[in-house]
Amino acid sequence: MLARSFRNSVLGFALTTALFVARPADAQETYDVVIRGGRVMDPETGLDAIRNVGIRGQTIVAISEDPLQGETIVDAAGLVVAPGFIDLHAHGQSNDANRYQARDGVTTALELESGVSDARLFLQERRGDAILNFGATVAHGMARTAVMPEYEADVEAALAALGSEPSEEQLAELDRAMSQGTYDELDPALYPRLFERLKAGMDAGALGIGMPHQYYPGANRDEIYRVFEFAGGEQFTIYTHVRSMGIDAIQEVVANATATGAPLHIVHLNSSSLWAIETNLDLIRGAQEAGVDVTTEVYPYTAASTSLESAIFDEGWQERLQISYGDLQWQDTGERLTEETFRSYREEGGVVIIHMMRPEWIEMGLQASHVMVASDGMPYAPGAHPRGAGTFARFLGRYVRDEGALSLMDGLRKVTLMPAQRLETTSPQMKRKGRIQIGSDADITIFDPARIIDTATFEDDLSYSIGVEFVMVNGTLVVRDGENVEGVRPGLPIVGRRVVF
């Protein structure tokens, strides 16, 4: 009897196994999208292997060596499957800009250096109509002007004119009204009102405080320190373009962060350091090792770009930057400036490209293990600085692949995991980005490591990077077979922790 029972059990197990093995493929789990046979690279776990990735909705739900079945199949054979690139420093906040950013592998493009005058309006304007994920800080420079009595009426009038669906012209007028205090010192008696405005921005979804105080030299060291003190109490990150090029301006903000506990991110260390970049890299590394919450970024170009009418070009700019008129290139025409055209264009107002950095400074910054990569990409315009279209492909193609400045995994870490980690204490959403893991958002960039490179130059209009074959934002393809997918708008707002999303 025991023998018969055992024999029946074995037969039953064999039959069950046969049925399982023979189960037809259409009975297997089917995903919305399957990325098949790519080299999956996840900088957080160190995974670097051929895998299949299953996506349901906007979430990665399977990573497997076994075949997966999907309604949409993305053939990634021979390609790298990486987390979508996160750009912490993107002034291009339009779909025109997003199209170039997407072809450069970007899935999240954030305005953190300058910030916005009104976070609620900014998020409302882009919500539901963005190719890429978006977000911004609250602009310290605009908030300080808004509380100055001499400009308060202008600001209130600009706000009153907005209506329920403000036009670009109305929003530009608001920004103009809130940027008038460039050279004015702020009365310390107004600090509480300034802090109220900053807090209101964060309550509306801002990702921290944008502080590009080189552009508003009226902000003295006491005001800057007190804003750090406020940010330390709130534990919201300050994203700063420091007050001058060199070492002392970096020392100022690092000292402020150390004293107040404010989280700090220093933008474009290359153009804020110039000849002092080695010292500043060591200074920031030392502060990190001492427990200060400070991070930084560089972009892989030897030229900067900004408005010619800005305070950066006030009297003495040639000595401060150690350049002259011929190192400035007018964005609209591509011409190099002379003393005469400098004066006429500065009065007119517009954007210049500033050729002021050495290649070795850029490579030093890119190789440093504690430094991220961000574009500082300008708003879309013909002739704009190529970093708005080619930063990430240039970094991975020229510096990682061609020059071997660092490994591919280390390069990916700088454009995915590190920026996500910078943001995740402020925005819990970012814990699901910058990673290829089960449960992560399906923000994914798939590229050919042998082909990826930038094509945009300083001489011509913007052009798309090559080698980025597929880009997914929240589970939706925005680049397919190396071309933009028209009509899709899957980008979602990235908001601070005070906003439930």
Side-chain angles (χ1 to χ4, degrees):
M1 187 169 177
L2 284 174
R4 188 184 309 118
S5 176
F6 176 75
R7 186 169 59 253
N8 290 342
S9 296
V10 170
L11 289 171
F13 175 77
L15 180 60
T16 301
T17 302
L19 289 171
F20 178 79
V21 172
R23 187 170 60 179
D26 60 6
Q28 296 177 7
E29 189 167 14
T30 300
Y31 301 95
D32 295 335
V33 180
V34 167
I35 301 170
R36 180 178 290 168
R39 178 186 174 187
V40 176
M41 300 186 69
D42 178 60
E44 186 167 58
T45 62
L47 174 65
D48 183 355
I50 304 301
R51 292 288 187 270
N52 301 301
V53 179
I55 296 161
R56 184 171 294 113
Q58 69 178 64
T59 306
I60 297 171
V61 295
I63 301 174
S64 176
E65 295 180 71
D66 297 327
L68 300 177
Q69 185 171 340
E71 294 181 9
T72 298
I73 301 296
V74 174
D75 183 2
L79 305 176
V80 169
V81 180
F85 306 159
I86 300 167
D87 191 353
L88 298 182
H89 193 164
H91 299 301
Q93 291 293 316
S94 68
N95 284 328
D96 284 336
N98 282 176
R99 290 182 183 92
Y100 288 91
Q101 294 159 338
R103 293 284 287 275
D104 202 33
V106 176
T107 55
T108 299
L110 306 172
E111 169 58 276
L112 303 183
E113 177 206 28
S114 298
V116 294
S117 58
D118 190 308
R120 180 187 60 82
L121 285 174
F122 169 78
L123 295 171
Q124 173 185 303
E125 182 187 19
R126 297 218 69 201
R127 189 187 298 269
D129 189 37
I131 296 171
L132 306 184
N133 299 316
F134 57 94
T137 55
V138 56
H140 165 239
M142 294 185 184
R144 67 189 299 277
T145 294
V147 301
M148 293 177 179
E150 56 268 46
Y151 306 119
E152 199 165 10
D154 280 357
V155 172
E156 292 305 320
L159 283 169
L162 292 177
S164 59
E165 294 186 9
S167 67
E168 288 187 18
E169 292 76 14
Q170 289 171 326
L171 292 171
E173 175 57 26
L174 176 62
D175 285 353
R176 185 206 64 77
M178 295 182 70
S179 301
Q180 297 177 86
T182 297
Y183 296 97
D184 299 340
E185 287 199 5
L186 183 65
D187 184 341
L190 296 172
Y191 289 174
R193 292 189 60 199
L194 170 64
F195 300 153
E196 286 174 10
R197 278 195 167 268
L198 297 176
K199 182 177 182 299
M202 295 187 293
D203 290 345
L207 293 167
I209 300 169
M211 184 189 280
H213 52 299
Q214 186 169 25
Y215 290 102
Y216 43 97
N220 61 30
R221 291 175 184 266
D222 177 68
E223 178 186 342
I224 297 303
Y225 178 79
R226 298 306 171 189
V227 175
F228 268 82
E229 204 169 44
F230 168 76
E234 298 287 340
Q235 281 300 289
F236 271 82
T237 306
I238 287 178
Y239 294 83
T240 185
H241 171 147
V242 296
R243 68 171 67 249
S244 62
M245 284 75 169
I247 298 172
D248 61 335
I250 303 296
Q251 289 176 325
E252 176 192 10
V253 295
V254 171
N256 287 351
T258 303
T260 65
L264 170 64
H265 182 80
I266 301 169
V267 304
H268 53 48
L269 191 70
N270 48 329
S271 55
S272 289
S273 298
L274 302 179
W275 50 86
I277 190 167
E278 184 172 12
T279 300
N280 285 340
L281 286 167
D282 290 344
L283 193 162
I284 292 167
R285 182 187 292 107
Q288 288 178 339
E289 291 172 353
V292 180
D293 184 0
V294 54
T295 53
T296 193
E297 68 187 46
V298 299
Y299 55 79
Y301 293 88
T302 55
S305 184
T306 196
S307 299
L308 186 58
E309 67 270 27
S310 72
I312 288 176
F313 292 104
D314 286 352
E315 193 68 33
W317 63 270
Q318 292 155 297
E319 292 73 24
R320 289 193 297 272
L321 304 182
Q322 297 187 15
I323 59 174
S324 192
Y325 300 107
D327 297 307
L328 305 181
Q329 182 179 0
W330 190 240
Q331 175 181 277
D332 291 350
T333 63
E335 69 187 281
R336 295 297 183 113
L337 300 193
T338 64
E339 182 174 0
E340 181 181 356
T341 55
F342 173 87
R343 296 187 188 284
S344 63
Y345 284 143
R346 182 161 162 82
E347 185 175 346
E348 173 187 329
V351 176
V352 287
I353 295 167
I354 315 165
H355 297 274
M356 65 178 185
M357 288 171 279
R358 297 178 184 171
E360 58 266 30
W361 301 344
I362 306 304
E363 187 155 341
M364 189 182 301
L366 293 173
Q367 286 182 313
S369 61
H370 61 300
V371 176
M372 305 173 208
V373 172
S375 74
D376 193 9
M378 301 297 283
Y380 169 77
H385 193 303
R387 65 194 181 191
T391 287
F392 298 92
R394 180 179 179 84
F395 169 57
L396 293 173
R398 175 175 175 175
Y399 290 94
V400 172
R401 181 190 62 231
D402 296 344
E403 297 189 8
L406 61 169
S407 72
L408 180 55
M409 186 68 87
D410 287 339
L412 289 175
R413 181 177 291 107
K414 289 175 177 288
V415 300
T416 60
L417 181 64
M418 289 175 69
Q421 290 175 329
R422 170 69 277 175
L423 283 158
E424 61 191 28
T425 56
T426 301
S427 176
Q429 291 168 267
M430 297 308 294
K431 294 179 181 179
R432 304 191 303 272
K433 298 190 183 295
R435 300 155 169 92
I436 297 282
Q437 297 172 24
I438 292 174
S440 296
D441 289 341
D443 288 355
I444 299 172
T445 295
I446 303 172
F447 65 94
D448 185 343
R451 292 180 61 244
I452 189 168
I453 198 66
D454 60 320
T455 68
T457 69
F458 292 106
E459 289 72 39
D460 300 310
D461 291 345
L462 293 183
S463 57
Y464 294 122
S465 296
I466 60 174
V468 175
E469 301 300 326
F470 301 91
V471 176
M472 298 188 74
V473 175
N474 298 306
T476 296
L477 285 164
V478 299
V479 174
R480 186 170 194 164
D481 295 321
E483 300 290 339
N484 295 96
V485 178
E486 295 302 322
V488 295
R489 300 290 188 269
L492 294 174
I494 306 299
V495 297
R497 62 179 179 266
R498 291 185 177 173
V499 175
V500 177
F501 178 76

